[in-house]
Amino acid sequence: MEGRWLMVETVFGGGHESPSAGPPISPLLPSAGLNKTAVEDCRNVCALNASDRCAFVRTNPDCYTSEGYLDYLQGIFCFFSPRLLPLAITLYVLWLLYLFLILGVTAAKFFCPNLSAIATTLKLSHNVAGVTFLAFGNGAPDIFSALVAFSDPRTAGLALGALFGAGVLVTTVVAGGIAILRPFTAASRPFLRDIIFYMVAVFLTFITLYSGRVTLGWALGYLGFYVFYVFTVVLCTWIYRWQRGKSLVYSLPGTPELLSESEDDRVSSNTNSYDYGDEYRPLIPSQETTAQILARALNPLDYRKWRNKPAYWRALKVLKLPVEFLLLLTVPVVDPDKDDRNWKRPLNCLHLVTSPLFCVLTLQSGAYGLYEIGSLLPVWAVVVIVGTAVASVTFFVTSNSEIPRLHWLFAFLGFLTSALWINAAATEVVNILRSLGVVFRLSNTVLGLTLLAWGNSIGDAFSDLTLARQGYPRMAFSACFGGIIFNILMGVGLGCLLQFSPGHLEVKLEPDGLLVWVLASALGLSLVFSLVSVPMQCFQLSKVYGICLLLFYVNFLVVALLTEFGVIHLKRV
């Protein structure tokens, strides 16, 4: 990689200042008035003398970070001495793990419940809600990581690696683990439908990588193909129910299709309901004051649970407490399954101030919130003033015991705020991974298919394997394929669509050499293996099938790492 040079565009604040004097340009802004400058690949910083590294990352535009709150490269090379580099890497890895924890807590306890409440408010069926709102909730970390990564051409490989890597991981390790834990009979039609749609999505992405660019038509095609998938799911469900109603008179119950349908209905009502507030409900209902309601609503700890839980649960809970408190303070949650729909008058009124304030302070990493209107007041101050006025009116026209008519609007506010929480955490995750790639001279693709894919998929893996242990392997197996269809189509389609501007309707993709083709081929082969082997077993998934999938992932990981380190390479002609 030494001697590798890139042509990038940088902004010069006044024409006589150095590139480091002005902020990095956002890829979403028009590129008028840019000067072309030859800069060196940021990954060459480790080849320099230790005394020159800080100046290199500060002055080299390829080391700039367009979004995020912390400059991790400057932290490593300017604030830690070379002898403390292992300490810096350790701290970054710990912070990365904590960011994954933030992503998981936000998605599971705040983002998904609000999406479920929105789906209930809009009176959507289970199937439509499952492949739209709930798929978005489950794939939120992957989607937002892809959106952030696609916003910078230097990290586009990170998005592709994460989407493909998560696909390989879920369709091999998670699906194989389900088959090993509880062998079962798969539902034939949903399985064939989902795997065929996913194979088409992978094929479209393969063509996109080969062409090296994504046009407006291709991005809209990704989104349109997902709409077609949703339509197919709804149509198949309608046909299935019609056939079931027609054949109930003379058909025996208990087929795999009937079992999987009833299984989905039973589990959906359990897994999609939000039970977070039950931790704070007192044993004996009593008339509480406004201050007591606020204190209980902001308390993320249930002392009775704390006494009965093991030590590892308590340790993890201690780590979660600061995040859960801040989330409770800034993100409203509407729960249709509760009698009070999670209406907490003092806290919800406080949310009318804290939620908009958090939103403006996270958009473009706070750039919009700090912007001064007429050189008088910053935007965040205006938001606080307006939010306080609206909160005061809401407080005086509502009561603690009666749910207001427009309480459902808090679900949309909670959805937006939790989405920005996830986006902010995902931005920091992408920036840390890019910094680690610079330090270890790794490509973004290998970081995406390993750390980012593992971190974003660990929640889905645990939930799917838990479902399998509880006796719902069909639903868990279906989730392995249904969720990642949403991730790859919306991740690539929406991620590229947001980068288009009136004068620039094309996104360039620069794959990291042979590795991205190994990744795409491995995902395609895993899908072909399941498509061929599952029908050959008459949809009876055994432990042998699961072990084969696990071995496939191990072999894929070995080949990918050997490719990254140059052991496997193409011969130059």
Side-chain angles (χ1 to χ4, degrees), residues 103-120 129 133-141 271-274 331-336 411 414-415 418-419 422 460:
L103 286 172
V105 171
T106 307
K109 295 187 176 181
F110 295 86
F111 189 73
C112 287
N114 279 314
L115 282 178
S116 180
I118 293 173
T120 303
F133 285 102
L134 297 180
F136 187 25
N138 293 334
T271 57
N272 295 333
S273 71
Y274 181 64
V331 183
V333 175
V334 177
D335 187 357
F415 161 74
S418 56
I422 294 174
D460 293 337

Side-chain angles (χ1 to χ4, degrees), residues 331-542:
V331 183
V333 175
V334 177
D335 187 357
D337 295 331
K338 289 185 178 179
D339 294 334
D340 62 354
R341 299 178 65 86
N342 206 41
W343 165 247
K344 312 294 182 190
R345 178 175 166 237
L347 180 58
N348 287 140
C349 291
L350 184 61
H351 284 150
L352 294 174
V353 180
T354 57
S355 293
L357 178 61
F358 179 83
C359 290
V360 297
L361 291 179
T362 51
L363 285 172
Q364 285 292 313
S365 304
Y368 292 140
L370 299 177
Y371 176 78
E372 292 188 355
I373 302 176
S375 300
L376 295 175
L377 284 177
V379 172
W380 69 264
V382 176
V383 169
V384 169
I385 294 171
V386 175
T388 303
V390 175
S392 301
V393 173
T394 304
F395 185 82
F396 287 111
V397 299
T398 58
S399 65
N400 291 334
S401 57
E402 187 176 349
I403 304 172
R405 229 176 9 165
L406 299 179
H407 179 233
W408 55 272
L409 289 175
F410 280 92
F412 291 88
L413 179 60
F415 161 74
L416 176 62
T417 310
S418 56
L420 289 176
W421 262 96
I422 294 174
N423 183 67
T427 301
E428 299 304 314
V429 167
V430 170
N431 291 340
I432 289 179
L433 290 178
R434 181 173 179 269
S435 301
L436 294 177
V438 169
V439 173
F440 293 108
R441 300 176 67 84
L442 297 174
S443 68
N444 287 321
T445 303
V446 77
L447 289 172
L449 72 91
T450 52
L451 294 179
L452 188 55
W454 295 339
N456 286 341
S457 301
I458 191 170
D460 293 337
F462 278 121
S463 60
D464 290 341
L465 293 175
T466 302
L467 277 176
R469 279 197 214 96
Q470 292 175 350
Y472 304 107
R474 293 188 187 91
M475 183 181 181
F477 191 74
S478 298
C480 291
F481 295 93
I484 51 180
I485 294 175
F486 179 89
N487 291 352
I488 192 169
L489 290 176
M490 297 299 290
V492 177
L494 194 59
C496 293
L497 188 64
L498 293 178
Q499 308 313 314
F500 295 141
S501 60
H504 186 73
L505 298 178
E506 185 178 277
V507 173
K508 295 285 188 182
L509 297 179
E510 297 180 1
D512 289 322
L514 179 63
L515 181 59
V516 72
W517 301 109
V518 171
L519 187 53
S521 301
L523 180 55
L525 286 175
S526 70
L527 295 176
V528 170
F529 173 76
S530 293
L531 180 63
V532 173
S533 62
V534 172
M536 286 180 62
Q537 303 172 76
C538 298
F539 297 94
Q540 301 280 343
L541 303 188
S542 62

Side-chain angles (χ1 to χ4, degrees), residues 234-265:
V234 175
L235 181 62
C236 291
T237 303
W238 181 83
I239 294 174
Y240 163 74
R241 287 177 177 173
W242 177 75
Q243 290 178 339
R244 183 178 62 173
K246 188 177 178 181
S247 60
L248 275 179
V249 178
Y250 51 87
S251 176
L252 292 174
T255 64
E257 292 288 342
L258 292 175
L259 289 173
S260 65
E261 181 75 15
S262 60
E263 177 185 285
D264 287 355
D265 290 340

Side-chain angles (χ1 to χ4, degrees), residues 1 19 45 64 89 103 152 172 241 271 288 332 341 368 389 447 512 525 530 533 537 552 562 568-569 572:
M1 296 181 186
V45 63
Y64 289 162
I89 299 301
L103 286 172
D152 190 336
T172 55
R241 287 177 177 173
T271 57
E288 292 180 308
R341 299 178 65 86
Y368 292 140
L447 289 172
D512 289 322
L525 286 175
S530 293
S533 62
Q537 303 172 76
F552 181 92
L562 291 177
I568 298 176
H569 57 85
R572 297 181 181 270

